[in-house]
Amino acid sequence: MAESTEIQKFKVVGTRPIRPDGIDKVTGRARYGADYAFPGMLHGKVLRSPHAHARIKSIDIAKALKLPGIKAIVTAADLAPLPENKTEAVGEAAMNPRYLSLNILAREKVLYDGHAIAAVAATSPHIAEEALRLIEVEYEVLPPVMTVERAMEPGAPILIPELRNPESGDNPTNVAMHLPVKKGDPDAGFKSADFIVEREFHTAMVHQGYIEPHNAVGIYNSDGHATIYCSTQGSFDVRSMSAKVLGIEVGKLKVVPAEIGGGFGGKTTIYLEPLSVLLSQKTGHPVKLVMSRSEVLRASGPTSGSTIRVKMGATRDGKIVAAKVWMAYEAGAFPGSPVTAGAMTILAPYVIENVQIDAYDVVVNRPKTAAYRAPGATNAAFAAETVIDELAEKCGIDPLEMRIRNAAHEGTPHPFGPPYKRIGFVETCEAIRNSAHYKSKLTGANRGRGVAAGFWFNAGMQSSATVNIHTDGTASVVTGSPDIGGSRASMAMIAAEVLGLAFEDVRPLVADTDSIGHTDVTGGSRVTFATGMAVYQAAQDAVNQLKERAAKLMDKKPAEIEFHDGVFAATGNGAKPMKIKELAGRLARAGGPVTGRANVNARGAAPAFAATCVDVEVDPDTGKVQILRCTVAQDAGRAIHPSYVEGQMQGGTAQGIGWALNEEYVYDAKGVLRNTGLLDYRMPTCLDLPAIDAIIVEVPNPTHPLGVRGVGEVSIVPPPAALANAIYRAVGVRMTELPMSPPRLLKAILAARHEPRLAAVN
Amino acid sequence: MATVFIPAALRKFSAGRERAIAHGRNVGQLIDDLERQFPGIRAQLVESDDVKPSIAVSIDGEIAVGGLLDPVHESSEVHFLPALSGGAI
């Protein structure tokens, strides 16, 4: 692997060209999943449970099948037999295929409001919808379990009768996993502390809020092969998961990733995809399914609500000496919340010698959670960064200085043990401290400023790339990473940099699963890092092949050819140098076409840190929070396309603000979701958000050829804590529950007015 | 001889020890040596001749990608960590 190129001068990397997919998107030519249409195509709809928890006694489809225009109905009986109950590698992802199947179509029980039960295909969406009304399902309604507290109580209703964990013995449980972590001697650490803060935090289940609903078109051919067109962050994962659920070979399934209207982690699993194939197989027609917004909210994969208790102690000089954390995350209906990531991130920015963490993955009667931008870390940081803020206040230390004094850096251990390599947390905090925002004075009643920091691992994983040299010396770069954040531009820029071409001379493409080597999901902030590494190596491979061709044409040995700035030149005297464009036109006489290839299982993924500073004004009569100013700093390693890095930082911050102030799943006593549209599920609009200043910090990742770390996630982590800290300075109440919506904040303000001791209690 | 850090969840196999010295040229051999020292620990780390999907192996501060075959050096520091999941089922 190449070493970092800190001293390297770039010509394309670091510039801000216009994205190559931009024209298609602004002219409406880009094809999203719902845009696909094929001759004879049918339309599918999904019957969903109206109950949060119920036993399915019977499903009668007879009446529905008689409806004119109905072509097929499928239930769980049409899926492959349930696999064994264990986590295994499906494709390259680890998951429990049994639970995956049970989430696609319920079998004996429904486990959340919206849980899919059956799917129909008809000649029109309206007939399909009408057929859903004619399917008769008899339920035995069971008591819903909506919170981790209730789920963990002795005697709580059990969602999955066979669920066990190593501590539950042979007893059924709703706790899917307990992860204990212990380092040093926390009790002794607390004894040495001058100040101790202990609080309990609650965060609500929230949705990623991608604008494009899930969709899939399935086409089953009579030869046993099938194609799925869908909106996904990971076409190879859709292929392997769908193959598992359907019981067909991976090689018989092709997945074509459509243009994607947002994902943020929520499009890393499957819902409609296997149903589209199943219905196509039954009818002999292509079948398209598209979720409504209500279905997206009820039955896709939001992220966990959580309960987190943090106890932290510091000495008078601001050194954090001990921390204890108890955290329980809602997994939804099946195991697999991001609580592990929460546990691994909650104290990750800091050097703390004495640590104890107990993390619990808990099933509840809510939709199965999926990834959401730095999964698990935002909940965790809300708790830890609020407590650190309070400790800083008790120590009389500036909150940023408090973080810098305790900051992890190269060589210090992560709380789980391994030492950090080169990281940029201190640089990130200092970027905020040196910003015009932080240096400015904030005045006025009910106004406050808050800061908070965040950590995310960033991932490596597998990627493939090919670089084709065209006869006119331009190139195309092909990857398998669906572009959700401008990665096509970054891939083209990396290839252009290596090939010595202009950005406009490289066209990037995202290929289907038959047309490119295995590529893991677009997630974990990994694409610019890992797929970028594959593109870098594929372009280098193309350059090496071109050197051989140039050598042939110049009558030299390949080792005698140097390549610099798009020009191939022989060492010593003799041959005339050739530009890549000239050489490309002569390839037919020098051995034929050139395609560079690379496949990587990328090592050396390096963590990212972010710090956010926010000013707010609180209306003490309504509890409404108005954001006055917001600045985010983030270590990108190397910003390939600074505008898109800034876009990721601003987008993550905007989502963090929504999570902090307004967004939440609201269930009634029966476990039925009450806010199933975007009028009631309150995401931020442009009226809620300030201009967000983005400061890119570049501490290059030494193990990436261009120094890339990854930028897609960490900026969502600090905003809720930064806002809570700002609200405290504005009106004197410590908010410990998300969202800090007007009713909740007003209640806290009123409680503090009447009883100051209650100021910290929600 | 690599230094292996035992995660809290597995310290019941190591009589509470947080670290151990183990021999082996790769992760698989290292785990075999751990099993000799702490019977029962292998089943917590290995399944179907591979590192369990729920486990990640850090070798000298870098997450390994080769499972049991990843090379380990004499002075290596090896941590068994929970594999990250963004909410996978």
Side-chain angles (χ1 to χ4, degrees):
Chain A
M1 193 177 298
E3 288 298 306
S4 172
T5 51
E6 272 198 81
I7 53 168
Q8 194 173 326
K9 295 278 185 282
F10 298 112
K11 291 198 166 175
V12 183
V13 167
T15 62
R16 300 173 184 251
I18 294 171
R19 60 196 303 157
D21 48 311
I23 291 175
D24 279 351
K25 284 179 174 165
V26 299
T27 57
R29 279 203 295 265
R31 289 185 89 192
Y32 293 85
D35 295 330
Y36 281 87
F38 296 90
M41 190 175 77
L42 302 173
H43 299 269
K45 291 282 177 188
V46 176
L47 179 69
R48 300 186 180 280
S49 168
H51 304 295
H53 194 189
R55 194 164 281 114
I56 299 173
K57 296 173 78 174
S58 65
I59 303 173
D60 186 347
I61 61 173
K63 280 185 193 166
L65 277 174
K66 288 177 185 164
L67 186 71
I70 282 295
K71 299 297 182 184
I73 299 176
V74 295
T75 64
D78 295 287
L79 295 174
L82 273 180
E84 197 183 339
N85 186 15
K86 66 168 195 174
T87 300
E88 61 179 77
V90 178
E92 298 304 325
M95 66 189 61
N96 185 323
R98 182 183 184 89
Y99 295 145
L100 182 67
S101 177
L102 286 169
N103 198 38
I104 297 297
L105 286 173
R107 298 204 184 209
E108 293 171 2
K109 286 176 86 179
V110 288
L111 292 174
Y112 56 94
D113 168 40
H115 198 163
I117 296 168
V120 307
T123 50
S124 83
H126 310 294
I127 294 171
E129 231 164 63
E130 181 60 24
L132 297 184
R133 278 187 272 275
L134 298 174
I135 298 174
E136 295 172 349
V137 184
E138 194 180 350
Y139 299 97
E140 176 193 345
V141 177
L142 302 169
V145 180
M146 303 307 293
T147 64
V148 292
E149 286 83 357
R150 176 68 181 124
M152 295 175 84
E153 279 175 7
I158 294 295
L159 274 71
I160 303 171
E162 67 267 26
L163 186 63
R164 303 285 187 278
N165 69 56
E167 293 161 17
S168 70
D170 209 20
N171 300 315
T173 178
N174 292 320
V175 178
M177 182 206 69
H178 169 211
L179 171 66
V181 181
K182 193 170 180 193
K183 188 179 92 164
D185 187 342
D187 291 330
F190 283 117
K191 281 183 186 160
S192 69
D194 294 308
F195 303 106
I196 294 174
V197 175
E198 184 172 12
R199 290 200 180 280
E200 179 172 306
F201 298 84
H202 298 270
T203 71
M205 175 170 267
V206 296
H207 198 270
Q208 300 85 351
Y210 35 83
I211 201 71
E212 179 207 25
H214 294 265
N215 52 68
V217 180
I219 305 176
Y220 186 88
N221 281 334
S222 51
D223 65 0
H225 288 76
T227 302
I228 300 172
Y229 299 80
C230 62
S231 175
T232 179
Q233 292 175 237
S235 41
F236 287 85
D237 293 287
V238 169
R239 183 175 70 165
S240 53
M241 290 185 213
S242 298
K244 195 79 186 176
V245 168
L246 293 166
I248 64 176
E249 297 99 316
V250 163
K252 288 189 173 172
L253 205 49
K254 179 170 88 172
V255 176
V256 182
E259 200 59 69
I260 182 167
F264 312 110
K267 289 180 181 167
T268 55
T269 187
I270 55 170
Y271 302 103
L272 304 175
E273 293 83 352
L275 300 180
S276 71
V277 173
L278 213 51
L279 289 167
S280 179
Q281 185 178 6
K282 275 206 162 187
T283 61
H285 291 266
V287 176
K288 177 159 79 176
L289 296 105
V290 180
M291 282 193 191
S292 66
R293 180 64 58 192
S294 167
E295 287 179 291
V296 170
L297 288 166
R298 288 171 71 203
S300 62
T303 196
S304 307
S306 56
T307 297
I308 304 173
R309 292 196 284 272
V310 175
K311 179 181 178 183
M312 216 178 273
T315 50
R316 203 171 298 279
D317 60 356
K319 181 177 168 53
I320 302 172
V321 290
K324 277 190 180 179
V325 175
W326 183 99
M327 57 204 316
Y329 279 35
E330 298 162 355
F334 300 101
S337 75
V339 74
T340 299
M344 294 178 81
T345 57
I346 188 164
L347 303 172
Y350 306 106
V351 181
I352 307 174
E353 287 178 12
N354 306 295
V355 168
Q356 183 175 333
I357 301 174
D358 288 280
Y360 296 88
D361 182 40
V362 184
V363 293
V364 292
N365 289 118
R366 296 167 178 254
K368 169 66 190 75
T369 53
Y372 182 18
R373 215 166 191 157
T378 304
N379 317 41
F382 171 58
E385 292 290 313
T386 303
V387 168
I388 288 173
D389 194 76
E390 198 168 346
L391 277 176
E393 185 188 26
K394 287 182 185 295
C395 294
I397 296 173
D398 172 89
L400 268 177
E401 173 61 24
M402 179 83 176
R403 286 164 172 85
I404 291 169
R405 283 188 194 181
N406 291 283
H409 49 81
E410 186 173 4
T412 61
H414 180 276
F416 276 56
Y420 283 113
K421 297 201 168 183
R422 183 76 174 93
I423 53 174
F425 182 44
V426 171
E427 289 85 345
T428 302
C429 288
E430 285 178 343
I432 289 291
R433 187 157 66 176
N434 296 328
S435 67
H437 181 175
Y438 201 69
K439 287 178 176 174
S440 70
K441 279 202 166 183
L442 178 65
T443 56
N446 302 312
R447 291 182 168 191
R449 173 172 296 164
V451 296
F455 167 92
W456 184 246
F457 288 94
N458 297 337
M461 304 163 71
Q462 302 173 96
S463 287
S464 304
T466 57
V467 171
N468 303 301
I469 305 299
H470 302 314
T471 53
D472 63 353
T474 62
S476 59
V477 54
V478 184
T479 73
S481 295
D483 176 5
I484 60 174
S487 58
R488 271 178 289 216
S490 302
M491 297 307 111
M493 292 172 75
I494 291 170
E497 187 72 55
V498 175
L499 295 169
L501 294 174
F503 168 77
E504 294 76 15
D505 285 339
V506 181
R507 295 300 291 175
L509 302 170
V510 179
D512 63 60
T513 53
D514 279 356
S515 307
I516 187 74
H518 182 94
T519 298
D520 284 319
V521 67
T522 294
S525 300
R526 64 171 287 280
V527 170
T528 311
F529 169 75
T531 306
M533 188 185 287
V535 168
Y536 184 91
Q537 292 180 11
Q540 281 191 322
D541 182 33
V543 167
N544 290 336
Q545 293 179 50
L546 288 166
K547 279 184 178 176
E548 291 176 8
R549 308 304 171 79
K552 194 176 279 186
L553 292 170
M554 294 178 188
D555 196 20
K556 297 280 183 183
K557 291 176 181 167
E560 294 175 305
I561 304 297
E562 289 182 345
F563 177 68
H564 188 63
D565 277 351
V567 177
F568 294 86
T571 52
N573 298 326
K576 184 185 162 200
M578 296 173 79
K579 288 186 175 175
I580 189 170
K581 295 203 172 190
E582 183 187 351
L583 175 59
R586 298 175 65 184
L587 287 178
R589 297 295 185 200
V594 165
T595 295
R597 297 180 183 83
N599 308 89
V600 302
N601 193 352
R603 300 181 70 146
F609 293 86
T612 301
C613 176
V614 63
D615 296 348
V616 303
E617 181 172 330
V618 178
D619 184 334
D621 296 325
T622 65
K624 185 177 188 310
V625 175
Q626 188 67 41
I627 300 175
L628 305 172
R629 189 172 183 180
C630 184
T631 303
V632 55
Q634 180 177 324
D635 177 15
R638 174 91 62 206
I640 301 296
H641 192 305
S643 296
Y644 300 157
V645 172
E646 289 160 0
Q648 290 292 326
M649 293 165 69
Q650 291 161 332
T653 302
Q655 288 187 309
I657 289 170
W659 192 339
L661 294 183
N662 286 298
E663 294 181 38
E664 66 179 317
Y665 270 43
V666 179
Y667 283 95
D668 67 18
K670 292 180 177 174
V672 174
L673 186 64
R674 304 307 299 181
N675 54 342
T676 62
L678 293 183
L679 283 177
D680 299 315
Y681 182 86
R682 173 76 166 77
M683 291 173 65
T685 70
C686 59
L687 297 175
D688 300 302
L689 296 171
I692 297 165
D693 290 327
I695 303 172
I696 300 173
V697 177
E698 289 189 304
V699 177
N701 173 4
T703 54
H704 190 277
L706 297 170
V708 169
R709 289 181 186 271
V711 296
E713 294 172 282
V714 72
S715 60
I716 197 174
V717 180
L723 280 159
N725 297 334
I727 289 168
Y728 169 72
R729 286 183 178 76
V731 290
V733 293
R734 283 274 176 204
M735 295 300 289
T736 56
E737 186 170 4
L738 298 184
M740 299 175 286
S741 54
R744 199 166 276 136
L745 179 51
L746 182 60
K747 187 177 164 191
I749 291 169
L750 293 174
R753 274 184 200 160
H754 293 108
E755 177 53 83
R757 286 185 303 110
L758 291 177
V761 182
N762 266 320
Chain B
M1 285 193 311
T3 304
V4 181
F5 291 78
I6 314 290
L10 300 186
R11 287 179 201 154
K12 62 187 172 193
F13 295 96
S14 64
R17 285 175 60 185
E18 294 185 20
R19 66 178 73 185
I21 301 297
H23 296 270
R25 282 177 289 114
N26 59 37
V27 171
Q29 292 174 4
L30 215 61
I31 292 175
D32 288 343
D33 192 33
L34 285 178
E35 175 69 15
R36 279 189 283 275
Q37 300 178 51
F38 312 123
I41 201 167
R42 189 176 195 279
Q44 307 299 315
L45 300 169
V46 176
E47 189 177 87
S48 306
D49 291 329
D50 199 356
V51 175
K52 278 188 172 182
S54 56
I55 303 277
V57 183
S58 162
I59 302 173
D60 300 324
E62 202 168 278
I63 297 297
V65 296
L68 297 178
L69 300 178
D70 255 308
V72 178
H73 304 294
E74 287 258 315
S75 58
S76 284
E77 191 177 306
V78 178
H79 294 260
F80 294 105
L81 307 171
L84 272 187
S85 157
I89 207 159

